[in-house]
Amino acid sequence: MKRRVQKQSILSLLERVMLGEEEASSESCQLAEAETVKQRVGVVSYKMADHTSPDHTDQQAALSEAELEDIAPRSQDTGLRLLTGVRRRFRCSGTIARSLLLKFIPILSWLPRYPVKEWLLADIISGLSVGIIQLPQGLAYALLAGVPPVFGLYSSFYPVILYTIFGTSRHISAGTFAVISVMVGSVTESLAPSENFMIPGNESMIDTEARDAARVEVAAALMLLVGIFQILLGLVQFGFIVTYLSDPLIRGYTSAAAIHVTVSQLESILGVAVSHQSKPLSLIYTIVNLCYKIPQTNVAALLAGLIAIAVMLVVKFLNEKYKSKIRMPIPIELITLIVATGISYGVDLKRVYGVAIVGDIPTGMNAPIVPKADLFASMVGNAFAIAVVVYAFTISVVKMFAVKHGYNVDSNQEFIALGLCNLFGSFFQCFTIGTAMSRSLVQESTGGKTQIAGAVSSLVILVMILKAGELFKTLPKAILSSVVIVNLKGIFKQFADIPVLWRSNKIDLLVWVVTFVATILLNLDIGLAVSVAFSLLTVIFRTQLPHYSILGQVSSTDIYRDVSQYQQALEVPGIKIFRSSCTLYFANAELYANAVKKKSGINVDKLIERKKKDIKKQQQLQKKEEKREKKALKAKEKCEVPAEQAYELSYVDVSTANGKPETHNAVYSEVLEESASSCLELNKSCIHSLILDLSTVSFVDTVSIKVLKNIFRDFQEVGVNVYLSGCHENVLRQLEVGNFFSKTITKYQIFSSIHDAVTYISRTRSPQMTKKDSDFFTKM
């Protein structure tokens, strides 16, 4: 029994020993495999004794892209994820339907949670303030659009109600806007010019009723087309189009539009009639015609306009200065309109002094009318431009208030909301609306909390349309023009951008100036197209002149900076690190390649040319050698020369210069020495590796891939290894699809960072380091 127990214990002990040996052998195999991987990567992990910050001498895990894919392979279920996303997007359920409904009709989400006690009074006060300001502006901006003043009231009512339902901003004031109105006016005047409505038999008289009716039809058709464009752009998530309208472009364009508006209103202030045109240089022609008509100025209209401008500017200045002390700003525009209407009625300015007045303003609501679709073909370009400009103005104001008050807005829903406002308003003979900065600031400063303020302001306009509109029958048009000009004060302040841009960014200044000049000379529609084209050209121009730099390592860090700008950044011996400040594509690919060759310090083209010449010389020597061998063989056959002598003859060349024999080995050595000396002379920097930092590259096309392959080929031909660093995932994918990788260009030459690439190069070349390299590493 004891023997059996002893035997079992001995067997179990032997099993444990054998298992221990197997585990040890497996551990040793794993260590050997890990060591092999580390040697292949060129990294042996250890920590510095002093635990200093990492530099390229630290043994960190410098993995190439190929090895990184082995450790963390890229997901291959892209198609499946895309299909899942599509299914999820088009899946219908009660929750999804409810969220879509709340997104499309935002009022359903915020109105049930509206705090009546806290916000209602503030919204009512704000709405009354905005409505009082919107009344004179609606009347005045209708004249800019080329339609009777009452249609300005319609445009201040119907679209505003729609925006309360579909808009996402709590503080903007939708409605008439000077810049948009003058753009509409250029279309109505071009499609319904006054010359087409001359009274037969009296060419000096114009049938104003027929002309106004035609212009109302044009404005309504234009509004419908603008609304269709905006809805379609919003549905296809095309809100990003506004990114092509840079801030300098918008400010330059609005400044030029303010000049157009001011010149168009001088006609009413001077009390003269001037023919309008809608073509390039039309503003210049209008100014010239106004100068000719100055002797015919109506003094009463001029005095009324100037006095109104002065009074409104002073009161607006006081409103702004004491806005913290007064709850509601003084409605100076409305007060001016009431006083001017009373004076005009009492003095009878039209009959006594010939001052032009507004005339009949019909009361009541008009029945909806379908706009004429046959006008679309003649205004499609203008409609698209107006749709984009309206959205650009609106979204800039919307985002400003959203950031200030900490709530979110939906850019695409704003597109749809504006489109619905314009679409619905066109059936009630309105003209295109936008967002007025001045009214929006009033709505925000008077305590407006939600879109309820806009609804209250529209009710003020409704009262005027139904009952009080006819009270302004005797209002002088010069007063309405003065209201327009005064409300352009904020836009005129944008001329202060010029010295600011001159100090900060001259290219943005150039965009501002070109936009302003083009809009002044070429009119609003063509000027906008030219401005956008020029702005895009500046982007291309900037990519043509990027900043190319050679990077060096900041001591004791893994940070690399431009050596020309940072004295502490030192180049790694034998390694050139090249970076471009912009992306790489077909327009600047050749410039990139030339900059790489220039900054590297190697005359690659000459080295390749020299190499080709050397190869050609070697081929010539080889041919001569073959000829000598043939001669030697012939001599052996004819003269029966001994084999040893024939062998010596094959390596002897008689010099024709001095008659002394010269062996082939000597000539070959001389060729090699000459080639080596020329290479040393051309490659003065003596670099062995080139790293291209592609961290600034967001995409690559076929041309840039071809240029990168040429860079690899040329530098490898002269003995310089090329590596890429900082490639984004989409860039790697595009390189794979573009057949960039081959036997000579592999993913083992691509690294996630510059420091990884430097670490890899330093380790792989460590056995053959020069003394200069060793000294540098010691210092680091």
Side-chain angles (χ1 to χ4, degrees):
M1 187 71 179
K2 290 182 180 179
R3 290 179 181 178
R4 189 179 299 172
V5 172
Q6 290 176 355
K7 186 177 181 180
Q8 288 178 354
S9 61
I10 291 170
L11 288 173
S12 62
L13 180 61
L14 288 173
E15 287 177 359
R16 286 197 299 269
V17 170
M18 291 176 66
L19 287 172
E21 289 177 354
E22 289 177 359
E23 291 175 358
S25 63
S26 63
E27 288 179 0
S28 62
C29 290
Q30 291 175 359
L31 288 172
E33 289 177 1
E35 188 67 25
T36 303
V37 172
K38 289 179 180 179
Q39 288 176 357
R40 182 158 57 93
V41 177
V43 174
V44 180
S45 298
Y46 72 92
K47 293 185 178 180
M48 300 294 290
D50 55 354
H51 301 283
T52 56
S53 299
D55 58 25
H56 66 273
T57 63
D58 290 339
Q59 302 295 341
Q60 301 180 43
L63 298 178
S64 66
E65 187 63 32
E67 290 149 348
L68 188 60
E69 287 185 0
D70 291 338
I71 298 173
R74 190 185 305 163
S75 176
Q76 300 297 327
D77 59 345
T78 307
L80 182 62
R81 283 184 298 169
L82 180 62
L83 182 61
T84 305
V86 172
R87 288 177 179 174
R88 187 183 298 113
R89 188 174 184 86
F90 289 97
R91 185 177 59 190
C92 185
S93 66
T95 305
I96 294 176
R98 182 176 180 277
S99 64
L100 288 175
L101 182 64
L102 295 179
K103 181 180 179 181
F104 184 68
I105 310 178
I107 193 173
L108 297 179
S109 63
W110 61 263
L111 188 60
R113 297 179 285 106
Y114 183 79
V116 178
K117 294 182 179 180
E118 291 83 359
W119 287 2
L120 182 59
L121 180 60
D123 279 338
I124 291 175
I125 294 174
S126 177
L128 291 174
S129 304
V130 173
I132 291 171
I133 297 174
Q134 196 164 21
L135 171 63
Q137 288 186 1
L139 295 171
Y141 294 159
L143 298 180
L144 285 178
V147 297
V150 68
F151 294 97
L153 297 180
Y154 297 155
S155 302
S156 301
F157 171 68
Y158 293 107
V160 177
I161 291 292
L162 265 292
Y163 187 84
T164 302
I165 300 172
F166 296 100
T168 60
S169 176
R170 304 175 188 173
H171 295 91
I172 69 166
S173 174
T176 55
F177 180 43
V179 174
I180 304 303
S181 298
V182 77
M183 293 180 74
V184 173
S186 67
V187 178
T188 57
E189 289 174 2
S190 63
L191 297 182
S194 299
E195 292 79 8
N196 295 351
F197 300 93
M198 296 293 182
I199 298 177
N202 189 354
E203 296 183 355
S204 61
M205 297 294 291
I206 299 174
D207 188 354
T208 55
E209 290 186 4
R211 182 199 64 186
D212 291 345
R215 289 183 175 180
V216 168
E217 292 178 349
V218 172
L222 179 64
M223 189 179 193
L224 176 60
L225 194 54
V226 168
I228 292 172
F229 275 131
Q230 289 176 333
I231 292 173
L232 291 177
L233 293 175
L235 290 176
V236 299
Q237 310 289 302
F238 214 61
F240 71 89
I241 192 174
V242 74
T243 58
Y244 293 103
L245 303 178
S246 64
D247 189 59
L249 186 148
I250 292 176
R251 294 175 75 85
Y253 183 78
T254 52
S255 299
I259 300 296
H260 278 274
V261 172
T262 302
V263 171
S264 67
Q265 296 309 296
L266 290 178
E267 175 184 356
S268 297
I269 290 179
L270 294 176
V272 297
V274 179
S275 60
H276 294 277
Q277 300 175 347
S278 181
K279 61 180 182 180
L281 300 178
S282 60
L283 183 66
I284 307 301
Y285 292 134
T286 303
I287 293 174
V288 171
N289 291 334
L290 282 173
C291 292
Y292 280 122
K293 293 292 183 73
I294 286 179
Q296 304 174 20
T297 299
N298 188 307
V299 179
L302 178 61
L303 287 175
L306 293 178
I307 292 172
I309 290 173
V311 171
M312 284 187 286
L313 286 176
V314 170
V315 176
K316 280 182 173 292
F317 173 77
L318 295 176
N319 281 338
E320 186 174 353
K321 185 175 182 180
Y322 298 104
K323 62 182 179 181
S324 60
K325 298 181 179 180
I326 53 177
R327 177 67 186 273
M328 182 176 175
I330 301 173
I332 186 59
E333 290 98 338
L334 181 60
I335 294 173
T336 303
L337 261 62
I338 294 173
V339 172
T341 302
I343 293 174
S344 176
Y345 178 80
V347 181
D348 198 359
L349 292 178
K350 179 176 175 57
R351 185 181 63 80
V352 177
Y353 298 101
V355 176
I357 59 175
V358 171
D360 291 332
I361 299 179
T363 58
M365 311 291 287
N366 289 338
I369 300 175
V370 179
K372 290 186 175 180
D374 56 350
L375 296 172
F376 286 173
S378 57
M379 61 178 63
V380 61
N382 299 94
F384 185 80
I386 293 174
V388 174
V389 171
V390 168
Y391 176 72
F393 284 130
T394 301
I395 202 64
S396 61
V397 180
V398 164
K399 288 185 176 179
M400 179 185 73
F401 287 123
V403 171
K404 183 176 180 180
H405 293 277
Y407 60 88
N408 296 323
V409 292
D410 187 341
S411 300
N412 291 296
Q413 179 60 29
E414 285 298 312
F415 233 147
I416 295 173
L418 291 170
L420 290 172
C421 292
N422 286 309
L423 181 69
F424 183 79
S426 65
F427 292 95
F428 294 90
Q429 298 179 314
C430 304
F431 57 87
T432 307
I433 59 97
T435 301
M437 173 68 82
S438 59
R439 293 198 309 270
S440 299
L441 290 173
V442 169
Q443 181 170 321
E444 189 255 352
S445 62
T446 52
K449 302 295 183 182
T450 63
Q451 294 91 322
I452 295 294
V456 173
S457 68
S458 64
L459 293 177
V460 175
I461 301 299
L462 178 61
V463 172
M464 299 300 299
I465 293 174
L466 295 177
K467 297 295 181 182
E470 59 185 5
L471 298 178
F472 294 99
K473 179 179 178 179
T474 59
L475 175 65
K477 288 186 177 181
I479 302 300
L480 290 179
S481 297
S482 63
V483 171
V484 172
I485 293 174
V486 168
N487 281 282
L488 295 174
K489 181 185 68 171
I491 298 179
F492 283 128
K493 288 181 178 180
Q494 293 177 166
F495 284 97
D497 294 346
I498 295 177
V500 175
L501 292 175
W502 174 262
R503 292 189 297 267
S504 59
N505 193 315
K506 291 182 174 57
I507 293 182
D508 283 347
L509 173 63
L510 187 62
V511 171
W512 197 104
V513 172
V514 170
T515 301
F516 179 83
V517 174
T519 307
I520 290 292
L521 298 179
L522 303 177
N523 217 345
L524 294 170
D525 47 359
I526 303 176
L528 179 62
V530 171
S531 303
V532 173
F534 181 79
S535 180
L536 295 177
L537 282 176
T538 61
V539 176
I540 298 174
F541 176 75
R542 293 185 192 192
T543 62
Q544 295 293 300
L545 296 175
H547 176 67
Y548 298 116
S549 56
I550 294 295
L551 306 183
Q553 186 183 30
V554 178
S555 178
S556 299
T557 68
D558 58 355
I559 298 172
Y560 294 81
R561 290 288 184 264
D562 188 351
V563 294
S564 63
Q565 298 181 4
Y566 294 85
Q567 295 181 354
Q568 293 79 10
L570 302 176
E571 290 190 52
V572 181
I575 303 175
K576 286 286 183 181
I577 306 170
F578 179 84
R579 175 187 287 169
S580 172
S581 62
C582 69
T583 192
L584 179 63
Y585 69 115
F586 69 92
N588 63 0
E590 289 298 328
L591 298 173
Y592 183 89
N594 295 332
V596 169
K597 293 176 181 179
K598 183 178 179 181
K599 289 281 188 179
S600 66
I602 304 176
N603 200 328
V604 177
D605 297 328
K606 284 190 177 181
L607 282 173
I608 294 174
E609 184 181 354
R610 176 73 67 179
K611 186 176 180 180
K612 290 179 180 179
K613 288 182 179 179
D614 294 342
I615 293 173
K616 189 175 181 181
K617 285 183 180 181
Q618 293 173 12
Q619 291 174 349
Q620 291 175 353
L621 289 173
Q622 189 175 359
K623 288 180 181 180
K624 288 181 180 180
E625 183 181 352
E626 291 176 356
K627 288 180 180 180
R628 291 192 201 97
E629 289 178 354
K630 289 180 181 179
K631 287 181 181 180
L633 289 173
K634 288 180 181 180
K636 179 181 179 182
E637 292 174 358
K638 290 180 180 180
C639 305
E640 296 181 355
V641 180
E644 294 180 359
Q645 189 176 355
Y647 180 78
E648 292 176 0
L649 287 172
S650 66
Y651 284 91
V652 176
D653 182 23
V654 179
S655 175
T656 57
N658 51 18
K660 295 181 180 180
E662 220 176 52
T663 64
H664 172 68
N665 290 335
V667 175
Y668 187 69
S669 300
E670 184 180 347
V671 171
L672 291 178
E673 289 177 3
E674 182 182 353
S675 174
S677 62
S678 62
C679 289
L680 287 172
E681 182 181 353
L682 294 172
N683 187 9
K684 293 179 180 179
S685 61
C686 296
I687 70 170
H688 52 72
S689 301
L690 172 67
I691 300 174
L692 302 179
D693 180 22
L694 300 187
S695 58
T696 59
V697 176
S698 58
F699 70 94
V700 288
D701 53 18
T702 54
V703 177
S704 55
I705 290 175
K706 183 179 178 181
V707 167
L708 285 174
K709 292 172 74 173
N710 291 340
I711 291 174
F712 271 77
R713 181 200 63 200
D714 293 344
F715 277 89
Q716 287 174 352
E717 195 167 345
V718 297
V720 177
N721 297 321
V722 184
Y723 302 88
L724 301 181
S725 70
C727 295
H728 300 289
E729 289 296 327
N730 62 312
V731 174
L732 283 173
R733 214 170 285 117
Q734 290 164 0
L735 290 175
E736 291 172 353
V737 174
N739 297 321
F740 175 73
F741 298 105
S742 61
K743 292 182 179 179
T744 57
I745 306 175
T746 66
K747 289 187 178 180
Y748 288 99
Q749 295 167 272
I750 300 180
F751 294 87
S752 299
S753 66
I754 298 174
H755 193 66
D756 285 350
V758 172
T759 303
Y760 171 80
I761 296 168
S762 302
R763 294 305 156 210
T764 53
R765 297 187 63 88
S766 57
Q768 46 190 337
M769 276 186 188
T770 61
K771 184 177 184 302
K772 180 181 177 183
D773 296 336
S774 301
D775 293 341
F776 181 83
F777 296 154
T778 304
K779 291 178 183 178
M780 296 298 290

